[in-house]
């Protein structure tokens, strides 16, 4: 498991994503990730670097490897979301949907809305727009200054009709 110092260096490195050439950024992430022995965080960060630089095809096997090695908490959930997103980008919508639907019922944390957002995108790609809007509105409703109850009820009604 990465220690706090490694996590601090990782956060500092991610803060430079837009300030350096993509290949240099990916190489820096790879070097930092290489400090971890058989920890899923290494391949996860390597995958995320490729994903963030437009290489979903290179990210997918790394996300899968990271999940096989084992990830905990938020990093595990981020890996599932990001893997599903990459798969959707590569046209693997059915697999993306399965991952996100399973994740939706798995736990409850601050990433719930992100799961719903990426699920909505996958649902649109699969031609299930009403369900997509339902998930998008369900994610949005709690953040509205007013009308939370109404929007949540309308969201449910979209798929009950």
């Amino acid at each position: 498991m990465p220690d706090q110092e490694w996590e601090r260096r990782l956060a500092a490195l991610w803060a430079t994503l837009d300030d350096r050439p993509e290949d240099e950024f990916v190489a820096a992430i790879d070097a930092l990730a290489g400090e971890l022995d058989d920890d899923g965080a290494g391949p996860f960060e390597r995958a995320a670097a490729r994903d963030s630089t437009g290489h979903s095809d290179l990210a997918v096997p790394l996300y899968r490897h990271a999940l096989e090695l084992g990830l905990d908490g938020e990093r595990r959930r981020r890996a599932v979301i990001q893997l599903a997103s990459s798969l959707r980008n590569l046209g693997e919508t059915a697999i993306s949907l399965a991952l996100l639907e399973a994740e939706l019922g798995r736990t409850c944390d601050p990433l719930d809305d992100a799961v719903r957002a990426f699920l909505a995108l996958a649902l649109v790609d699969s031609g299930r727009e009403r369900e997509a809007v339902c998930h998008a509105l369900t994610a949005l409703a709690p953040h509205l200054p007013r009308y939370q109850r109404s929007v949540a009820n309308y969201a449910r009604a979209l798929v009950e009709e």
Side-chain angles (χ1 to χ4, degrees), residues 69-80:
L69 288 174
L71 294 169
D72 293 325
E74 183 178 306
R75 191 170 264 136
R76 187 209 59 79
R77 199 154 203 219
R78 287 176 52 210
V80 173

Side-chain angles (χ1 to χ4, degrees), residues 77 81 100-101 103-104 111-120:
R77 199 154 203 219
I81 293 166
L100 292 166
E101 287 171 341
E103 193 61 29
L104 192 61
L111 290 173
D112 288 352
D113 293 342
V115 172
R116 286 190 180 279
F118 285 96
L119 178 56

Side-chain angles (χ1 to χ4, degrees), residues 129-157:
E129 290 85 358
R130 288 182 76 82
E131 288 177 71
V133 172
C134 172
H135 283 287
L137 290 175
T138 299
L140 173 65
H143 306 283
L144 297 173
R146 301 189 72 127
Y147 313 111
Q148 298 94 343
R149 186 171 169 276
S150 296
V151 170
N153 287 336
Y154 286 131
R156 277 190 298 280

